Amino acid sequence: MDASSPLPKTVHYKLVLLGDASVGKSCLVVRFAKDEFYEYQEPTIGAAFMTQSVTLGDEIVKFEIWDTAGQERYRSLAPMYYRGAAAAVVVYDITNKESFDGAKSWINELKAVLPSDVVIALTGNKIDLEASRCVSTELAEGYAEDNALLFKETSAKTGEGVRELFDEIARKLPKKSQDSDAGGFQVSSNQKASSWSTGSCAC
Amino acid sequence: MQKQDAVESFPLMPITIPSSLPAGRVRILKQALQTKAAEFTTSLHYRLLALTYNAGAAMPKSHSAFRIEDVDPAADIVVVGLQEICELNALNMLVDVDEYEQAWTQWVVESLASSSHASPIDTHNELVLVRSKRLVGLLLLVFARRRLMSDKTVGHVSDACVGVGLLGAGGNKGAVGVRLTLHDTSVCIVDAHLASGTGREEEIWRLQQISTIANRLQFIVSEPSGEPRTWKLLEHDIVVFMGDLNFRLSDGCPLDDGQEAASSRPLEPLEALRAIQSTHLRQGSPSQPPSGVLSPFPSATSPLTGSDPAPLDLWVVEPHAWESLWQYDELIRAKKQGRGGPLDGFEEMQLRFPPTYKYEEWGNYFDMRPGKIRCPAWCDRVLVRHEGGKGGMKGLEYGTIKDVKQSDHRPVYASYLLRSSTLDRPRLWQLYNTLLEALQAEPFEHTSLLSLDPCSIALPPVRPFHCLSQTITLHNPRPLPSAFTILALADSPERLLPLHRSSRIQDKTPTANSPFHLHHLLPATTTPNNVGVPEEMASTTESPCPSVTWALANSSLSLPPPPCAPDMEGKGSFGSAEVRERSMALQRWIHAIPAEGVVMGNSRLNVTLTVCIGEGISKPKEGETTLVFRMLDSGRDYYLPVSAAILPSIYGLGVPDLLELKAHPISSAEGATSSHPDLTQLGDLTAADAPAGTLHESRKAKGGSPHPMPKELWWLMSFVYETIRRRQLDGEMSGSAHPSFDLSDFLMGATNTASDPVCDRLADEMERIRIATDEGRALGSLDPPVTVAATLKVIERWGFSLPSPLVSREFVTDLDDGGSHLVCRAALLSLPTPQRNSFISILSLMKWLSKSREGITMA
């Protein structure tokens, strides 16, 4: 509450990872959250939650990350996870042209559904495989610019660009006025008091 | 508005849980609140007596009345549910004849007047009629002591009815209900009469009818604010569900082996009863020589007929002996297997009295006259549900009344100690705030690791009204237990629904082993079985089935979104009517047992998924979903895609869908197309006996498209018409008439007048008719031939299985209320042409049938 408090303020943001199957969403999260990499990461059949913080000046930005399944058949479940998100990382594989088209379609969906202040970051993963690149940096960067997206190329395997990606998102996120360093998961609006304080008879 | 939110959010208490709270913690919060229920509720106790009786379609004889003194003279509230107070014929379905209602009401009043607690002077304690509700043969009467009325303890009285019989809306089968409040506790009483008959399909149908009743029975009550609010059956704190539910005794547990359900074989009634009667004589009864047969079901091969005609007296049997029949009871079994739908959350006291069906009228013995014998059955039941801290029901006595002998049923009564409460709201909110803050302060991150085997499921094709099941193994390789709940993707994206209410929640509550450090919120002694229930109520009703505690059952109705996705179900509203309805639609075809629970550390748990297609679902695309196994205590969802190829069938498809398939049979069978019955043949129907102006519209459009009536219905009706017409002609030629069918077969269900072996044959015939119609084969060429009665029953079932009734509910309500012809006519004209044609055609066919029958009998 107190802005002059010597303790750094913690703000919570929900972030969701989207993108086609096997572009490296889970690897990116694991690299960011645990600084680990598994060469043979199993496909995510479901969704997984993880947290990681980024320190930004006098405040700590705590990301609450939902990593989603990339397979097309589960696409209809994705809105459950991106609803209410403050940021979305849309990942494609620079060695796979189709995954870039997939990313575009995700971005279109997000833009249609989410409020305009949601930070969307387009991320080309697997730059360690530069030799097999199919999607040029210029092409992707141009697309990101046209659509007002953050853009970053990363390698979950080497870790290159991963930290920077999340730092940049943290900087771009709208500043929250409320302090929520109690921890936990009151992520979006604080709807606590609105409904139950004046309830009455249920008969 | 504030209030509305509150009520929807947490049906038990006027509070809303913030949607950001993970499901596992919502459960803990609810449980904690309920543990402390005593701190914010004041309990008051009343005695409730429920009595159900199938009156056998006749006017009452006064000397047949029961005496409340013999049952529960101290009852504060008496609810009496009667079925078949009049014949369920066409006339009575259209016009409620008052004399029956008056006579039966009088009969009940006389029975209650015997109470010594209401002497003529003590009007204060007199039982007065609070509300009565009638639907064709159903009559529900609710009485309360006058003092409860005068001090306004009883309030918010409202009634409702729903027909689920003829064409899915007729009042020949259905339910009537009355709801009221006792202080802050809402109580709903339902009197139901469900489909009769033996066999697996009939059983499923009864279960479907229960779901339909639970969905459609709605009460409108004016709130203090003046706003009308709709209450559905299961939104009440206490529900009493009674009536002639018609569940039978049958053999086998078709769901256990994972195979397609075999049609159940009826028991050999005589052997079963005889064995029980001869081996479990009550002490002091006239002794009989031991028969040497110890098992109640000696052998499946023992002959049914040629049995000893000696009278079978069931009243001399030791009450505990009936226990051996429980395993054969369809309702007990369905509840045990979690197939009971809404009734899974209900409790029933133990059946320690003889089956109440079927007796000699005015006699003491089980009816063994040739042609009258039925498999003995506990058709008449009383079940209760009490969810939430605001009400409790403790079963006191469950029995039957031997001396009320007017019909072939015997009345069943159940008496309860009912706990109602008043809430101390400020105290409740204060407690709630404290708990919520503690819960939100806990960190939320825990990695659970679970594997599902198999990881996707594709079931073979399944026909509506058949079942398939498959087992999934959940493996938790970590030392910590993991709590899960299974959700399914509903019809619209972004909406997940709890799969099924399991009746075995209590032993799988995550509380005891939850990885949260929140035990301080709950007293160490708490067990989920008696959370929040005062000591005297804790034992609750003795039930032969696992019971659901109010604490947990509700949490499965309403789950919050995953963390950080506050909008998944609207505003995270709990158990709202809409969500519940959708949830039921989903439950119609897929069930999981258990649908939630805990996989202990380093162990496996099997979940049985059952696909059972019923009412309103037979479009192939609806047989696909993704199940989400959500870890309640951590941020992890596992997906399991499930698909079941649902064979399209006449059952379950809507009229517009049937019309779309005008060129081909529903399921195109090879070479079947050539043998379609010629639709033009039905022109005879219009010409010959002229069912008033019915079919010419269809004929008009014959050349054009679309056909204004489902061709399958046409085929079925044409078969009925032609078969009878042919028979009539034969009869005229030979000079003798063969009235080989009875119109009442159609109206009441042919099984009512047929003996059990015939029922089996009928079910088999109906199945063959259905498949032939699905495949577009002519019914006349079936071998062995099928009967008119079975075809009529298929038409009836088709009507029932429509996704929405052929005629609107309002229209039927008009009929029930004796609405004017003008209103009916207007309602009829407002129907889309195909629906109107179908409805008028069926009515005309019925009219024609009844006329033909008169002709036949007169000849």
Side-chain angles (χ1 to χ4, degrees), chain B residues 207-520:
Chain B
L207 293 169
Q208 292 290 349
Q209 288 183 324
I210 291 170
S211 296
T212 308
I213 290 167
N215 263 336
R216 291 202 201 149
L217 202 62
Q218 305 197 14
F219 302 87
I220 297 170
V221 184
S222 297
E223 297 283 288
S225 60
E227 292 271 308
R229 160 145 160 68
T230 304
W231 285 86
K232 298 189 98 183
L233 175 63
L234 295 180
E235 289 172 326
H236 293 84
D237 298 314
I238 292 175
V239 183
V240 178
F241 196 101
M242 63 177 167
D244 179 0
L245 308 187
N246 255 320
F247 285 105
R248 308 301 170 97
L249 299 178
S250 68
D251 211 346
C253 302
L255 282 181
D256 288 354
D257 52 6
Q259 298 297 310
E260 185 167 346
S263 66
S264 48
R265 178 164 48 91
L267 293 180
E268 289 70 32
L270 300 187
E271 276 68 23
L273 286 192
R274 249 180 224 301
I276 288 182
Q277 193 224 24
S278 54
T279 52
H280 297 282
L281 268 188
R282 211 192 283 251
Q283 292 215 325
S285 300
S287 64
Q288 290 190 356
S291 69
V293 183
L294 291 174
S295 153
F297 306 101
S299 93
T301 54
S302 47
L304 249 178
T305 48
S307 47
D308 187 350
L312 197 49
D313 186 354
L314 303 183
W315 306 97
V316 298
V317 173
E318 285 267 15
H320 72 80
W322 298 115
E323 211 170 309
S324 62
L325 278 185
W326 292 349
Q327 57 181 314
Y328 297 93
D329 182 76
E330 289 174 346
L331 180 58
I332 292 179
R333 201 166 54 217
K335 277 165 63 63
K336 217 172 226 163
Q337 294 172 346
R339 292 184 293 117
L343 284 193
D344 278 348
F346 281 70
E347 295 169 356
E348 186 183 21
M349 282 184 271
Q350 292 183 341
L351 295 158
R352 296 203 179 276
F353 51 86
T356 54
Y357 180 76
K358 165 187 200 237
Y359 291 87
E360 293 173 2
E361 285 152 29
W362 302 109
N364 288 323
Y365 299 119
F366 192 77
D367 200 337
M368 310 242 289
R369 286 169 293 170
K372 297 274 190 178
I373 297 176
R374 295 287 183 285
C375 179
W378 283 295
C379 289
D380 309 280
R381 313 287 277 264
V382 182
L383 293 95
V384 296
R385 175 182 188 264
H386 49 102
E387 295 202 341
K390 290 198 295 158
M393 287 288 259
K394 183 185 180 185
L396 301 174
E397 205 179 329
Y398 195 24
T400 180
I401 304 174
K402 180 189 169 191
D403 295 322
V404 178
K405 307 175 187 173
Q406 169 154 3
S407 82
D408 53 1
H409 289 250
R410 293 292 172 263
V412 166
Y413 68 91
S415 61
Y416 296 92
L417 186 63
L418 181 156
R419 180 173 56 81
S420 68
S421 30
T422 51
L423 289 182
D424 178 350
R425 294 182 172 75
R427 176 75 189 124
L428 166 61
W429 297 322
Q430 188 193 337
L431 265 172
Y432 172 69
N433 278 332
T434 317
L435 290 170
L436 187 68
E437 273 164 29
L439 277 168
Q440 288 192 322
E442 281 287 315
F444 176 85
E445 196 166 7
H446 169 74
T447 318
S448 71
L449 205 71
L450 202 73
S451 67
L452 307 183
D453 177 34
C455 51
S456 78
I457 290 183
L459 293 160
V462 56
R463 256 176 219 282
F465 286 104
H466 290 181
C467 295
L468 290 174
S469 55
Q470 170 145 8
T471 303
I472 301 147
T473 305
L474 308 185
H475 179 218
N476 176 9
R478 293 165 52 86
L480 285 172
S482 250
F484 72 94
T485 189
I486 306 174
L487 308 167
L489 189 63
D491 49 353
S492 68
E494 307 169 38
R495 192 178 278 278
L496 277 186
L497 295 169
L499 193 58
H500 187 67
R501 305 181 45 182
S502 164
S503 56
R504 299 166 197 186
I505 299 164
Q506 65 262 46
D507 47 345
K508 301 198 173 68
T509 167
T511 317
N513 298 300
S514 166
F516 302 136
H517 308 292
L518 289 163
H519 302 298
H520 59 279

Side-chain angles (χ1 to χ4, degrees), chain B residues 79 125 190 198 200 256 269 290 325 335 338 340 443 490 508 510 556 570 610 741 753 785 792 807 810 859:
Chain B
V79 296
N125 258 334
V190 180
T198 54
R200 173 80 181 153
D256 288 354
L325 278 185
K335 277 165 63 63
K508 301 198 173 68
S556 62
T610 303
F741 77 98
T753 49
L792 288 173
V807 286
E810 290 71 29

Side-chain angles (χ1 to χ4, degrees), chain A residues 14 45-47 49-51 66 73-74 76-77 79-81 83 185 188 191 194-196 198-203, chain B residues 2-3 14 16 19-20 22 25 231 425 429 433 444-445 489 494 496 563-567 635-637 639 641:
Chain A
K14 174 177 167 183
I45 308 298
F49 177 78
M50 258 174 260
T51 59
W66 276 99
R73 70 193 306 176
Y74 303 122
S76 58
L77 288 152
M80 275 200 318
Y81 305 99
R83 282 273 198 88
F185 27 83
S188 49
Q191 19 179 289
S194 59
S195 38
W196 45 259
T198 54
S200 65
C201 175
C203 46
Chain B
Q2 199 76 53
K3 185 171 176 181
T16 303
S19 50
S20 56
R25 296 183 185 195
W231 285 86
R425 294 182 172 75
W429 297 322
N433 278 332
F444 176 85
E445 196 166 7
L489 189 63
E494 307 169 38
L496 277 186
C564 327
D567 289 340
R636 194 78 173 86
D637 286 347
Y639 297 162

